[in-house]
Amino acid sequence: MPLESCMILLDNSEYMRNGDYVPTRLEAQQDAANLLVGAKTQSHPESTVGVSAGTELLVSPTDDVGKILNALHGVPLNTLGSDVTASVQVASLALKHRRNKNGSQRIVLFVGSPLNDIESRALQKAGRQLKKNNVAIDVVAMGELESNEVKLQELVDAANGRAIEGQERTCHLVTIPSGVLPSDVLASSPIVHGGAGGSAFAASAAVAAAQAGTAGAGGGGGGDAFAEFGGVDPNMDPELAMALRVSMEEERARQERLAAQQQQEQEQQASGGDGGGGGGGESSGDAEMADAAPAPAAASAAIDLGMSEEEALLQQALAMSMNENEPAAAAAAPAEEDDEAAAMQLALQMSMAAEASPSEQVSELVGSLPGVNPNDPAIQSALKNLKEEEKDDKKDDKKDDK
């Protein structure tokens, strides 16, 4: 935004005590003024902002943000009411005597009290005077909209001058419905962004904010308007708002992937269960058909051989009984083969044990004992003596046989 000197005109009448804006009209007005101060001072390093309440000048245009905010939060209520035309004249004089004469001039007027005592002609005259002095005016209407909107629109139209097609309007009127935070509406209005659009744009923004339910307890009711950015106003902290938005999008994408995977697994389990049940039914049906097939074949073969009906039925029953016994015989065959192999192995071990000499049996026994060294000289000597005795016994047996 270009260099600009701005005067913020606050309404400090008794009507600002009303609670149709959260928490009151006066505090909602201060919140919106804080937003404007931040937007104006950050738009250009040399921009200045001044504050006045009614006809009382609180701070002349300055770039000292602390002084401006101190004046905003120290606005006293005035029991005499407010005079819009006189307030606009005071603000025009403050802008005329500003320190930096460069840049444009603008007045932001907050109106929250009825304008019954002010004629439309006086407002039009004030608007034409602003146009003559090259001063733009933005009006924020808070409450009493039915009685004030028409008159305030005449003020803005007079300040804009003769409408030329394609020319940007420099003055705007923003009407804020009851129950909506003014700061939320102004954040998306041309008053803050400096664009065109007029009251129609502001009205649509107000409706959108009202539908989003931005009115909440305490002053934090405007968070839903920036739900896409995690409740952070992107105009105040764009980097944090963008980081929160990216994080929320990543989390949303991750949750969608998990939901899709779970749904796919459930579908696979359901299809697998149905397929397994169907396959089991088909296999059992095939087995039954295979078991029943030989019986009709045997019956037809018996009838072809010229047997009687009773003989054919008997032949069919015999074939069925044979089919029933076949699985049992097939299952018993491996068991019999295992028994025969075990018996053969046992007989072979017994024959080997019978053929083994006592010395060999003793040697195997000693080798299998835990903690005994078969290579011990004493054990080897005993085994050697045993073998010699066996040889002597065999020689004696041969002599006896002769």
Side-chain angles (χ1 to χ4, degrees):
M1 294 177 64
L3 173 62
E4 184 180 72
S5 294
C6 177
M7 281 294 299
I8 299 177
L9 275 64
L10 302 177
D11 191 342
N12 61 341
S13 63
E14 290 290 337
Y15 289 91
M16 301 304 289
R17 296 180 184 272
N18 292 346
D20 50 352
Y21 297 90
V22 179
T24 61
R25 289 186 185 181
L26 182 62
E27 295 185 18
Q29 176 184 244
Q30 293 175 350
D31 187 21
N34 287 339
L35 174 65
L36 288 175
V37 170
K40 298 295 184 182
T41 55
Q42 293 177 10
S43 62
H44 195 280
E46 296 184 6
S47 294
T48 58
V49 178
V51 180
S52 66
T55 57
E56 181 182 0
L57 180 64
L58 301 178
V59 176
S60 58
T62 178
D63 56 357
D64 188 349
V65 179
K67 185 183 295 185
I68 298 170
L69 296 179
N70 187 27
L72 285 176
H73 291 277
V75 176
L77 291 176
N78 185 7
T79 57
L80 300 177
S82 61
D83 187 353
V84 173
T85 56
S87 300
V88 171
Q89 290 178 1
V90 172
S92 299
L93 289 174
L95 290 173
K96 183 178 180 180
H97 297 284
R98 66 189 184 278
R99 182 179 57 188
N100 189 355
K101 300 296 183 179
N102 298 325
S104 59
Q105 307 173 70
R106 183 174 296 275
I107 295 175
V108 179
L109 174 63
F110 286 87
V111 180
S113 56
L115 303 177
N116 298 329
D117 298 336
I118 302 177
E119 297 181 358
S120 299
R121 187 182 305 174
L123 293 175
Q124 294 175 3
K125 182 179 179 180
R128 288 193 295 269
Q129 187 68 26
L130 292 174
K131 176 66 175 177
K132 182 179 179 180
N133 296 331
N134 294 325
V135 179
I137 185 170
D138 293 328
V139 181
V140 181
M142 300 173 52
E144 316 297 336
L145 300 180
E146 297 180 358
S147 60
N148 292 347
E149 187 172 2
V150 177
K151 293 182 178 181
L152 294 176
Q153 187 64 53
E154 292 177 354
L155 171 63
V156 172
D157 292 341
N160 277 319
R162 185 176 302 175
I164 300 176
E165 186 178 358
Q167 184 178 4
E168 181 180 354
R169 296 172 62 88
T170 58
C171 303
H172 311 94
L173 170 63
V174 176
T175 58
I176 302 175
S178 300
V180 179
L181 283 178
S183 57
D184 290 342
V185 180
L186 293 180
S188 56
S189 69
I191 295 179
V192 173
H193 296 286
S199 59
F201 178 88
S204 62
V207 172
Q211 292 177 352
T214 55
D224 292 342
F226 310 108
E228 183 181 0
F229 301 97
V232 177
D233 186 359
N235 297 310
M236 303 301 293
D237 195 343
E239 295 181 357
L240 176 60
M242 184 57 63
L244 291 174
R245 180 179 179 181
V246 172
S247 177
M248 292 173 65
E249 290 179 353
E250 291 178 353
E251 179 64 19
R252 191 181 300 112
R254 187 184 68 83
Q255 293 179 358
E256 291 177 356
R257 287 196 303 270
L258 291 177
Q261 292 178 0
Q262 292 178 359
Q263 184 177 2
Q264 186 177 3
E265 291 177 357
Q266 292 177 359
E267 292 178 354
Q268 290 179 355
Q269 292 177 359
S271 61
D274 296 341
E282 292 177 0
S283 60
S284 60
D286 293 341
E288 292 177 356
M289 291 177 64
D291 292 341
S300 60
I303 294 173
D304 293 339
L305 293 174
M307 297 181 180
S308 63
E309 185 176 357
E310 293 181 358
E311 293 177 349
L313 292 174
L314 182 61
Q315 188 71 19
Q316 181 180 357
L318 181 60
M320 292 177 66
S321 64
M322 292 177 63
N323 290 332
E324 291 177 356
N325 293 331
E326 284 179 359
E336 293 177 358
E337 292 178 358
D338 294 341
D339 294 339
E340 293 178 358
M344 292 289 292
Q345 186 70 17
L346 181 59
L348 180 60
Q349 293 178 358
M350 291 176 65
S351 63
M352 291 176 65
E355 294 177 357
S357 61
S359 60
E360 293 177 354
Q361 294 178 1
V362 172
S363 177
E364 291 177 0
L365 180 61
V366 170
S368 62
L369 292 175
V372 178
N373 185 10
N375 297 323
D376 187 80
I379 296 175
Q380 291 292 333
S381 176
L383 291 176
K384 184 177 180 181
N385 295 331
L386 182 59
K387 288 180 180 180
E388 291 178 354
E389 291 178 359
E390 289 178 358
K391 290 180 181 179
D392 295 339
D393 293 339
K394 288 180 179 179
K395 291 179 180 179
D396 295 339
D397 292 339
K398 288 181 180 179
K399 292 179 179 178
D400 295 336
D401 293 336
K402 291 181 179 181

